């Protein structure tokens, strides 16, 4: 199989569509740096060929670029057996698959099944993600780092290779007899042990379980016997302990010790009580001394307060006299300036009265003029309102658009009916000489033209008659249709009140023009009624009509007054300025008076406060003395200090007495004695109960006979062990026989694997001269033999493992190619652990293989593969 091109879009890191073509039949090398998407290309190929388009597995979801919600798409062009194919597949959203080639096109499941049959892989249980179901391509399309593992080919490859080699080596397993013997041995062995792990089963497992059960029973019997002996020992120990506890409870020394401690506790509590009393008396004496000291301090403070108050009174009396003199001067100044203010205010009031009188005469004249203007505006409004009514009447005559459209439709129907009528009728023009009588169907007529729809007889005087017969297709229904159309049109015209459709259109145009003119007329009416606030007239026509209706058509006309308002206002202004100056001067004198009065009030208040303070200081001094004097207070304080010193000496003596006893220690010792006595009593009860329990246990176990049960358990254990030894011997014998048969089958298998070894040896000899390969039954490379030394694959270096993994894949590819299977080798970043010499050898082998199959090598190491002669492809 030859891959020709690959196109991917929305696939992992390839968000934009990318097309890679130019692949050839031989060696193709894709050299790009890391993170450019080489491994993604191989993953896209696997997705296209092996993953079902309808799959929604975690693997398929990983195809979607991170953070996007798109549908991954892959398209592959390839050639198989000289025939071109195109595979297109889209996942997740609107999933589809199309396989084009072989003279047809398949879609959906039919395309998936055709692809499986074409390439020889199976669907499997994991919707295409299981390597075991991918067939040859699962082994030959090697992803990054997978070549490091030397693995067995998948099941499909193994079955195919076996089919290829059967004809070459024939049957080598010994026939049906050998198979029957081997099956019998395997069956017998499987009855005793599992073939894979050698784990016991069946009779052998039952024997092992019997021995384990017997061993457990013997151990339980031994344990029961030991428990019986232990119970005897525990009974003796419990009785001895009970005797000791009872002796401790009856010890007289403990009672004597308790009585001594209780006596010491009473003495200690008495000393503690005396200490508390001494502390209280000392505290009381100290409080009395502090109170006397505080009283003397209060006496000194009261005397200092009286002296300070007397000095303050003298100062306040002086300040009050000065403030009273200032107030008297300010009062005289305020009276003088108030008289001047009264004169200025009277002059201003006279000027104000003159101005108001002049303004009243002018206001009356202005109102009369405004009323006259309102009456004139009302007369002009009447003409505008008449025009408004005319336009509203014109606008109301508009015809409904739907009715007018119906009239137009009916006119068209009438014209159509008339056309049909004229097309089906025969028009007869009549020209007669003067005096010749005309009869039509027996009725006299003077028509000069007649439309004939049915056979009609024309009688021309005495000259004879003519019968006119129209064509057979003519019918009176045409005339009926024409008549009905005319009647319906006439009815519609009468309903809307017009003579024709064009007359209705003209009426609507006049109505529209009237509506437009009404808009302009309304604006004109609003402009003609602006209102006048001087007479309380609001804007609008309604307000104007109401105002004129209330006023009447006649308004008083007044002559303009001759008062000079400007002169009056100037005189008024001068009077106000003079009044303001007088007010300011008067306010200043009042401010001075207020300040002086405030100073006087403060001085008076200070004097009052000083007087009250002196009275309070005298009262405080009286309270402090309380029928005594300073000498008596000082003598009392001295006596209290002596009493406090005496109480302090008594307190120290009481403290020394209290320290001689440790009350808490005495209480703890008493508690410990009580606790020990209580616990001894509890232990006596426990020991009594335990002794009774042990005696009951000994009595019960002595009846059963623990020693006899031990003997029976040992006999059962010996019997179970004998049976187990016999079955194990049988299983070991079968295992030896089974191994011998397996070795025989292995010898036959080595003969069967000889062609596989030969194909691989061609490559391995060039890489590891003098080495032999060994394969297991699953065609997996088991080891390498060099210089007579066998080495397992796991013990080889990673570079050698990788090289051997690639060479064995090439060997199987050759076998599959010989069978005509589709083959293509893709290696993603291979030979990463190869030295320069082996790298050159491996690339030579790959180039030779490329002559038989397509080889695609994906690598990031341009220098390592620079010497390789192959088709180079760029992703950019």
């Amino acid at each position: 199989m030859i891959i020709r091109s690959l196109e991917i879009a929305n696939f992992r890191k390839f968000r934009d569509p990318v097309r890679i073509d130019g692949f050839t039949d031989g060696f193709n090398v894709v050299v790009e740096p890391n993170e450019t998407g080489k491994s993604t290309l191989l993953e896209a190929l696997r997705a296209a060929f092996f993953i079902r388009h309808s799959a929604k597995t975690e693997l398929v979801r990983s195809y979607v670029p991170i953070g996007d919600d798109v549908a991954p798409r892959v398209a592959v062009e390839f050639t198989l057996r000289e025939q071109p194919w195109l595979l297109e597949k889209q996942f997740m959203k609107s999933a589809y698959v199309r396989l084009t080639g072989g003279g047809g096109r398949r879609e959906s499941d039919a395309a998936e099944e055709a692809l499986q049959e074409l390439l020889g892989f199976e669907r499997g249980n994991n919707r295409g993600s299981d390597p075991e179901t991918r067939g040859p391509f699962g082994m030959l399309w090697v992803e990054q780092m997978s070549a490091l593992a030397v693995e067995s080919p998948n099941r499909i490859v193994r079955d195919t290779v076996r089919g290829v080699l059967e004809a070459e080596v024939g049957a080598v397993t010994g026939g049906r007899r050998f198979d029957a013997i081997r099956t019998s041995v395997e069956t017998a062995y499987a009855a005793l042990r599992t073939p894979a792990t050698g784990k016991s089963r069946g009779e052998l497992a039952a024997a092992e379980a019997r021995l384990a059960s017997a061993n457990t029973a013997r151990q339980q019997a031994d344990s029961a016997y030991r428990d019986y002996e232990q119970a005897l020992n525990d009974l003796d120990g419990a009785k001895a302990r009970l005797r000791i506890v009872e002796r401790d409870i009856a010890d007289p020394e403990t009672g004597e010790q308790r009585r001594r401690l209780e006596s010491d506790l009473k003495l200690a509590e008495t000393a503690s009580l005396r200490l508390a009393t001494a502390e209280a008396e000392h505290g009381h004496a100290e409080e009395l001394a502090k109170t006397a000291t505080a009283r003397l301090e209060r006496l000194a403070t009261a005397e200092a307060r009286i002296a300070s108050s007397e000095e303050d009174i003298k100062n306040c009396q002086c300040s009050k006299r000065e403030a009273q003199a200032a107030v008297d001067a300010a009062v005289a100044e305020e009276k003088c300036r108030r008289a001047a203010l009264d004169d200025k205010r009277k002059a201003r009031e006279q000027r104000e009265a003159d101005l108001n009188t002049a303004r009243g005469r002018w206001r009356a004249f202005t109102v009369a003029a405004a009323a006259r203007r309102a009456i004139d505006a009302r007369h002009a409004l009447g003409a505008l309102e008449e025009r408004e009514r005319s336009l509203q009447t014109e606008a109301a005559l508009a015809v409904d658009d739907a009715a007018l459209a119906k009239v137009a439709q009916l006119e068209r129907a009438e014209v159509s009916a008339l056309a049909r009528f004229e097309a089906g009728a025969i028009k007869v023009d009549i020209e007669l000489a003067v005096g010749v009588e005309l009869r039509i169907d027996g009725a006299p007529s003077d028509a000069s033209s007649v439309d004939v729809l049915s056979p009609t007889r024309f009688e021309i005087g005495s000259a004879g008659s003519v019968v006119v017969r129209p064509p057979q297709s003519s019918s009176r229904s045409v005339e009926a249709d024409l008549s009905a159309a005319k009647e319906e049109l006439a009815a519609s015209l009468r309903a809307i009140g017009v003579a024709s459709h064009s007359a209705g259109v003209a009426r609507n145009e006049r109505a529209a023009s009237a509506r437009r003119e009404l808009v302009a007329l309304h604006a004109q009416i609003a402009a003609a009624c602006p209102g006048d606030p001087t007479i309380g007239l609001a804007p609008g026509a309604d307000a104007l009509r109401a105002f004129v209706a209330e006023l009447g058509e006649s308004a008083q006309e007044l002559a303009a007054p001759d008062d000079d308002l400007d002169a009056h206002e100037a005189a008024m202004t001068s009077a106000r300025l003079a009044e303001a100056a007088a007010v300011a001067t008067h306010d200043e004198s009042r401010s001075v008076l207020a300040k002086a009065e405030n100073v006087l009030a403060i001085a008076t208040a200070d004097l009052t406060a000083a007087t009250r303070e002196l009275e309070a200081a005298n009262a405080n001094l009286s309270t402090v003395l309380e029928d005594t004097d300073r000498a008596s207070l000082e003598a009392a304080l001295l006596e209290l200090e002596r009493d406090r010193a005496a109480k302090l000496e008594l307190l120290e003596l009481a403290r020394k007495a209290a320290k001689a006893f440790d009350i808490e220690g005495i209480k703890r010792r008493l508690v410990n004695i009580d606790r020990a006595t209580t616990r001894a009593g509890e232990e006596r009860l426990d020991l009594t109960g335990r002794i009774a329990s042990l005696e009951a246990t000994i009595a019960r176990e002595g009846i059963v006979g623990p020693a006899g049960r031990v003997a029976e358990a040992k006999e059962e254990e010996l019997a179970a062990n004998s049976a187990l030894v016999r079955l194990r011997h049988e299983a070991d014998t079968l295992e030896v026989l089974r191994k011998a048969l397996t070795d025989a089958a292995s010898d036959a298998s080595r003969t069967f694997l000889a062609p596989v070894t030969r194909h691989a040896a061609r490559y391995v000899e060039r890489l590891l001269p003098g080495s032999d390969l060994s394969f297991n039954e699953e065609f997996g490379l088991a080891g390498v033999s060099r210089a007579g030394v066998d080495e397992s694959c796991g013990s080889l270096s990673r570079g050698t493992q990788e090289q051997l993994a690639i060479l064995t894949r090439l060997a199987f590819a050759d076998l599959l190619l010989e069978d005509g299977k589709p083959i293509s080798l893709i290696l993603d970043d291979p030979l990463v652990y190869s030295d320069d010499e082996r790298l050159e050898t491996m690339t030579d082998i790959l180039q030779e293989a490329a002559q038989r199959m397509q080889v695609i090598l994906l690598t990031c190491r341009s220098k390592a593969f620079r010497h390789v002669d192959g088709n180079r492809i760029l992703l950019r």
Side-chain angles (χ1 to χ4, degrees):
M1 186 181 80
I2 309 299
I3 295 174
R4 296 301 183 187
S5 69
L6 172 64
E7 184 176 352
I8 58 178
N10 298 324
F11 198 97
R12 291 188 177 168
K13 73 178 302 172
F14 292 102
R15 287 179 166 82
D16 299 326
V18 175
R19 179 179 176 84
I20 301 97
D21 51 16
F23 291 102
T24 61
D25 298 358
F27 201 0
N28 300 269
V29 182
V30 179
V31 182
E32 292 290 348
N34 290 328
E35 302 296 328
T36 55
K38 301 183 299 299
S39 299
T40 304
L41 297 181
L42 178 55
E43 189 63 37
L45 283 172
R46 285 181 168 175
F49 285 105
F50 304 126
I51 305 299
R52 304 282 293 189
H53 70 285
S54 58
K56 297 292 191 299
T57 62
E58 188 66 29
L59 174 63
V60 174
R61 287 194 291 271
S62 72
Y63 296 159
V64 180
I66 297 175
D68 291 352
D69 186 15
V70 293
R73 180 170 54 84
V74 184
V76 184
E77 294 181 3
F78 62 96
T79 302
L80 184 61
R81 301 183 185 93
E82 304 299 328
Q83 189 171 10
W85 295 85
L86 172 61
L87 173 62
E88 301 170 273
K89 189 174 288 189
Q90 180 167 301
F91 301 94
M92 299 303 289
K93 290 186 173 184
S94 303
Y96 68 84
V97 58
R98 288 192 291 269
L99 180 63
T100 305
R105 174 174 172 174
R106 302 167 182 83
E107 296 185 358
S108 191
D109 291 342
E112 298 283 10
E113 294 169 1
L115 191 63
Q116 293 175 23
E117 182 178 357
L118 191 65
L119 300 182
F121 66 90
E122 298 177 358
R123 179 173 180 176
N125 295 326
N126 294 322
R127 302 186 69 80
S129 60
D130 185 4
E132 282 293 311
T133 63
R134 294 178 182 173
F137 297 107
M139 178 186 68
L140 298 178
W141 288 1
V142 187
E143 62 186 3
Q144 198 173 50
M145 303 302 290
S146 293
L148 295 175
V150 183
E151 300 174 345
S152 301
N154 58 54
R155 177 181 53 78
I156 297 176
V157 175
R158 294 196 301 270
D159 293 345
T160 304
V161 172
R162 285 193 182 101
V164 173
L165 297 178
E166 281 180 357
E168 182 176 347
V169 300
V172 296
T173 55
R176 287 178 298 172
R177 189 175 180 184
F178 176 85
D179 292 340
I181 294 172
R182 188 174 183 183
T183 300
S184 177
V185 171
E186 290 289 344
T187 302
Y189 181 77
L192 297 177
R193 288 177 180 165
T194 58
T197 62
K199 185 177 180 181
S200 301
R201 65 195 301 181
E203 292 183 4
L204 180 57
E208 291 175 348
R210 178 188 174 189
L211 177 60
S213 177
N215 183 266
T216 301
R218 192 261 306 161
Q219 291 176 355
Q220 291 175 349
D222 288 340
S223 177
Y225 182 72
R226 288 193 299 272
D227 292 342
Y228 180 74
E229 294 292 331
Q230 185 64 39
L232 292 174
N233 295 331
D234 291 345
L235 178 60
D236 294 338
K239 288 180 177 180
R241 179 62 184 166
L242 179 61
R243 288 192 294 272
I244 294 172
V245 170
E246 289 177 343
R247 185 174 62 249
D248 291 341
I249 292 174
D251 187 5
E253 184 179 353
T254 304
E256 182 63 26
Q257 183 181 11
R258 177 177 179 80
R259 284 191 293 274
R260 286 197 303 270
L261 289 173
E262 288 176 346
S263 176
D264 292 343
L265 179 61
K266 290 179 180 179
L267 293 175
E269 289 176 345
T270 301
S272 177
L273 180 61
R274 288 175 179 174
L275 175 61
T277 303
E279 287 177 345
E281 291 177 350
H282 175 263
H284 180 65
E286 189 169 6
E287 288 298 324
L288 290 176
K290 289 181 179 180
T291 301
T293 302
R295 191 173 182 183
L296 281 173
E297 292 176 352
R298 287 170 55 200
L299 176 60
T301 302
E303 290 174 347
R305 181 180 177 186
I306 290 172
S308 176
S309 298
E310 289 174 347
E311 182 66 24
D312 290 342
I313 287 174
K314 292 179 182 178
N315 295 331
C316 289
Q317 287 174 345
C318 181
S319 298
K320 182 179 180 182
R321 287 193 295 272
E322 294 175 354
Q324 185 63 51
V327 168
D328 294 340
V331 167
E333 180 67 19
E334 190 273 335
K335 287 180 179 179
C336 179
R337 293 185 177 179
R338 185 170 60 247
L341 175 60
D342 291 340
D343 294 340
K344 298 296 183 184
R345 182 172 290 121
K346 289 178 181 179
R348 190 264 305 163
E349 290 174 352
Q350 181 60 44
R351 296 295 183 185
E352 187 174 6
D354 295 342
L355 178 60
N356 289 335
T357 301
R359 283 177 175 171
R361 287 192 288 267
W362 275 103
R363 188 179 301 110
F365 172 75
T366 303
V367 169
R372 184 69 264 172
R373 288 195 300 272
I375 293 172
D376 295 341
R378 178 66 184 91
H379 293 162
L381 180 63
L384 295 176
E385 290 177 339
E386 182 64 27
R387 179 58 181 166
E388 180 185 20
R389 287 191 291 272
S390 174
L391 291 174
Q392 288 174 344
T393 303
E394 185 72 23
L397 294 176
V399 180
D400 182 64
D401 291 341
L404 197 60
K406 181 178 180 182
V407 168
Q409 182 180 1
L410 292 175
E411 284 187 351
R412 290 192 295 272
E414 180 192 20
V415 171
S416 176
L418 180 60
R420 291 195 303 272
F421 173 78
E422 291 178 348
I426 295 177
K427 187 176 185 63
V428 178
D429 295 328
I430 303 172
E431 293 182 3
L432 298 175
V434 177
V436 177
E437 182 183 7
L438 174 64
R439 284 179 175 274
I440 300 175
D441 288 336
S445 175
D446 57 354
S448 61
S449 178
V450 178
D451 293 323
V452 178
L453 293 174
S454 58
T456 303
R457 177 182 295 277
F458 293 85
E459 297 177 2
I460 305 170
S462 59
S465 64
V466 177
V467 177
V468 178
R469 292 182 176 85
Q472 293 296 323
S473 60
S474 299
S475 174
R476 289 193 177 276
S477 63
V478 176
E479 185 178 7
D481 290 342
L482 176 59
S483 177
K486 287 182 177 180
E487 290 176 358
E488 189 173 1
L489 174 60
S492 295
L493 291 174
R494 284 193 302 273
I496 61 178
V498 295
S500 62
H501 175 264
S502 59
V505 171
R507 180 185 291 181
N508 280 357
E509 289 177 352
R510 289 193 300 273
S513 176
R515 286 193 295 271
R516 290 192 296 271
E517 188 175 350
L518 273 173
V519 173
L521 183 61
H522 289 158
Q524 186 178 356
I525 291 173
C529 304
D532 193 338
T534 59
I535 56 176
L537 175 60
D542 293 338
L544 179 60
R545 284 193 291 270
F547 180 81
V548 174
E550 182 180 356
L551 182 64
E553 289 297 328
S554 63
Q556 183 181 4
E557 294 187 7
L558 300 176
D562 56 359
D563 295 292
D564 188 354
L565 290 179
D566 293 336
H568 284 289
E569 288 179 353
M572 178 65 183
T573 302
S574 298
R576 283 180 176 174
L577 291 176
E579 181 186 12
V583 168
T585 304
H586 179 255
D587 288 345
E588 192 273 336
S589 64
R590 289 181 61 192
S591 176
V592 172
L593 175 60
K595 290 179 181 178
E597 289 175 345
N598 186 44
V599 171
L600 177 60
I602 292 173
T604 303
D606 291 343
L607 178 59
T608 302
T611 303
R612 290 178 180 174
E613 176 63 18
L614 178 59
E615 293 172 355
N618 289 323
N620 184 39
L621 180 61
S622 300
T623 302
V624 171
L625 291 176
E626 288 181 347
D627 299 330
T628 186
D629 54 13
R630 174 181 288 276
S632 299
L633 290 175
E634 291 175 350
L637 175 61
L638 182 60
E639 182 63 26
L640 290 172
E641 289 289 345
R642 292 195 191 97
D643 183 63
R644 181 173 63 177
K647 292 293 186 347
L648 180 60
E649 291 178 1
L650 294 175
L651 175 61
E652 293 297 329
L653 292 175
R655 284 175 177 170
K656 290 179 181 179
K659 287 181 179 179
F661 297 96
D662 182 7
I663 296 179
E664 296 300 326
I666 295 172
K667 289 181 177 179
R668 284 195 299 272
R669 292 178 65 183
L670 286 171
V671 169
N672 290 337
I673 291 174
D674 292 341
R675 187 182 296 116
T677 303
T678 302
R679 288 181 178 175
E682 292 174 352
E683 187 175 0
R684 180 170 59 181
L685 291 175
D686 291 341
L687 288 172
T688 302
R690 179 167 174 75
I691 289 170
S693 176
L694 289 172
E695 288 175 345
T697 300
I698 291 169
R700 184 179 62 256
E701 292 295 333
I703 296 173
V704 176
R709 285 197 302 177
V710 170
E712 292 175 359
K714 287 182 177 179
E715 290 178 1
E716 173 61 21
E717 185 178 17
L718 289 174
N721 187 54
S722 299
L724 178 62
V725 169
R726 177 179 59 80
L727 289 172
R728 280 181 176 172
H729 178 71
E730 181 179 350
D732 292 341
T733 303
L734 288 171
E735 185 174 5
V736 171
L737 180 58
R738 179 170 172 265
K739 185 175 182 301
L741 294 174
T742 301
D743 291 341
S746 297
D747 292 339
S749 178
R750 281 192 292 274
T751 303
F752 186 76
L753 292 173
V756 176
T757 306
R758 277 199 312 274
H759 279 80
R762 290 186 306 170
Y763 301 118
V764 176
E765 182 64 25
R766 296 173 61 179
L767 185 71
L768 303 173
S771 299
D772 295 325
L773 301 181
S774 61
F775 292 84
N776 56 29
E777 294 183 1
E778 299 297 324
F779 293 157
L781 183 61
V784 179
S785 177
R786 292 188 285 189
V789 179
D790 294 334
E791 300 176 75
S792 65
C793 288
S795 64
L796 300 175
S797 68
R798 301 192 72 179
T800 303
Q801 289 186 52
E802 180 184 25
Q803 296 149 15
L804 291 176
I806 293 175
L807 294 180
T808 53
R809 283 178 168 86
L810 281 175
F812 286 115
D814 289 339
L815 288 171
L816 294 172
L817 194 62
E818 292 176 2
D819 193 43
K821 301 299 181 183
I823 297 301
S824 174
L825 179 63
I826 301 178
L827 303 174
D828 185 9
D829 215 358
L831 306 174
V832 293
Y833 295 102
S834 299
D835 56 41
D836 294 342
E837 183 177 352
R838 287 194 178 181
L839 178 63
E840 186 172 354
T841 301
M842 290 297 296
T843 53
D844 290 342
I845 294 173
L846 290 175
Q847 284 182 290
E848 293 174 5
Q851 298 175 6
R852 303 185 300 276
M853 66 188 77
Q854 185 185 47
V855 177
I856 299 176
L857 190 146
L858 308 171
T859 182
C860 61
R861 299 181 297 152
S862 60
K863 183 178 180 181
F865 295 94
R866 190 173 295 157
H867 66 286
V868 176
D869 182 18
N871 176 41
R872 297 185 180 273
I873 298 174
L874 299 177
L875 298 185
R876 300 184 295 276

